Amino acid sequence: MMELRDVDVRYAKPPVHAVRRLSMTINSGEIVAILGKSGCGKSSLLRAIAGLEPATGQILLNGRDISALPTHRRKVGMLFQDGQLFPHRNVERNISYGLEMIDMSAAERRERVAQMLEMVGMAGYGKRAISTLSGGQAQRVALARTLAVRPDIILLDEPLSALDRLLRLRLGEEIHHIVQKSGMTALYVTHDREEAIAVADQIAVMDGGELIGMGTYQEMRERTSVPIIRDLLS
């Protein structure tokens, strides 16, 4: 479970109050999509959770306060828009990258990589060069690499936005299945309503750095009195 308590993110140059005392709880095994227009603070919130941006407030992960910890000690996995795969490594060596940083034998790494390839539907692709993969395949490999090290939570920052709409929706449903199968807790940023519906158990709407509302898609659709929720989900 992750708890955010009054998380606040400010930038000095130019002066921007990106996230405004935001509080939220994400239950273990749950996928929450953060939906909002560009510039609403979605990505800044994810970067603060990962330790990539300075923030005030508290970030608790499974009861552990990680607010002051450096990124590498937070047990947070992050998947970016472009996946950031290493072009000089093949598929299996990309997935094993994080495993090489921890105390794991070569045999254990091979077994874990094979498990991840199976989970993301890419068994048999281990020796393939990254340059031979489609955009959807590359994002599956990036997801496998993120999940391989067993983080406590995975943060996905518009991971499908570079793909065409039909592929985004299909892969969004696959990511939902993969993340649920792994038992992972996930926070998924998007500006696309249909993608949020396909991926998430709950949807959190942000506007102007603030959390406007959070609930299931059906619960949020009923909040027609809130203009930004109506605009994003109707």
Side-chain angles (χ1 to χ4, degrees), residues 1-220:
M1 183 174 76
M2 187 181 73
E3 291 182 78
L4 305 179
R5 299 177 181 174
D6 294 328
V7 173
D8 204 89
V9 179
R10 297 172 184 260
Y11 300 110
K13 294 182 180 180
V16 175
H17 197 169
V19 179
R20 299 171 180 265
R21 297 180 65 83
L22 188 145
S23 296
M24 173 192 296
T25 298
I26 301 173
N27 295 318
S28 297
E30 188 172 62
I31 305 173
V32 173
I34 301 183
L35 183 64
K37 298 178 180 179
S38 295
C40 74
K42 307 184 301 292
S43 294
S44 293
L45 178 63
L46 255 62
R47 291 178 63 83
I49 294 169
L52 300 174
E53 298 289 354
T56 59
Q58 279 188 300
I59 302 168
L60 289 91
L61 196 51
N62 297 328
R64 181 176 65 120
D65 190 343
I66 65 171
S67 309
L69 295 179
T71 299
H72 68 279
R73 292 184 55 203
R74 293 194 177 201
K75 295 198 72 175
V76 170
M78 192 157 184
L79 180 59
F80 294 95
Q81 184 181 88
D82 61 2
Q84 297 188 345
L85 295 176
F86 303 114
H88 62 286
R89 286 174 169 247
N90 63 17
V91 167
E92 65 182 17
R93 291 192 65 226
N94 262 276
I95 297 173
S96 69
Y97 177 76
L99 302 175
E100 294 167 13
M101 305 295 109
I102 60 180
D103 187 18
M104 181 177 282
S105 69
E108 289 173 318
R109 289 201 303 270
R110 286 193 296 271
E111 182 179 359
R112 183 65 175 159
V113 168
Q115 290 172 349
M116 291 296 96
L117 286 171
E118 180 72 29
M119 181 177 288
V120 301
M122 293 188 65
Y125 280 73
K127 301 300 183 183
R128 290 274 296 270
I130 297 302
S131 61
T132 68
L133 303 179
S134 68
Q137 289 171 336
Q139 283 302 74
R140 286 191 186 93
V141 173
L143 179 61
R145 183 178 66 184
T146 304
L147 293 172
V149 295
R150 296 185 174 94
D152 287 336
I153 190 168
I154 179 173
L155 310 176
L156 303 102
D157 191 3
E158 303 214 40
L160 307 180
S161 61
L163 308 178
D164 67 68
R165 186 171 187 79
L166 289 178
L167 182 55
R168 280 207 315 271
L169 297 180
R170 192 183 79 209
L171 195 52
E173 291 175 352
E174 291 180 10
I175 285 176
H176 178 89
H177 174 72
I178 291 165
V179 173
Q180 280 201 325
K181 188 177 179 181
S182 72
M184 193 67 60
T185 304
L187 197 55
Y188 189 107
V189 157
T190 182
H191 62 272
D192 186 292
R193 175 181 66 93
E194 293 184 13
E195 191 178 325
I197 295 167
V199 169
D201 302 305
Q202 293 202 73
I203 296 173
V205 170
M206 281 186 70
D207 187 43
E210 298 180 342
L211 178 64
I212 305 301
M214 179 173 167
T216 65
Y217 171 59
Q218 291 301 328
E219 289 170 343
M220 295 296 283

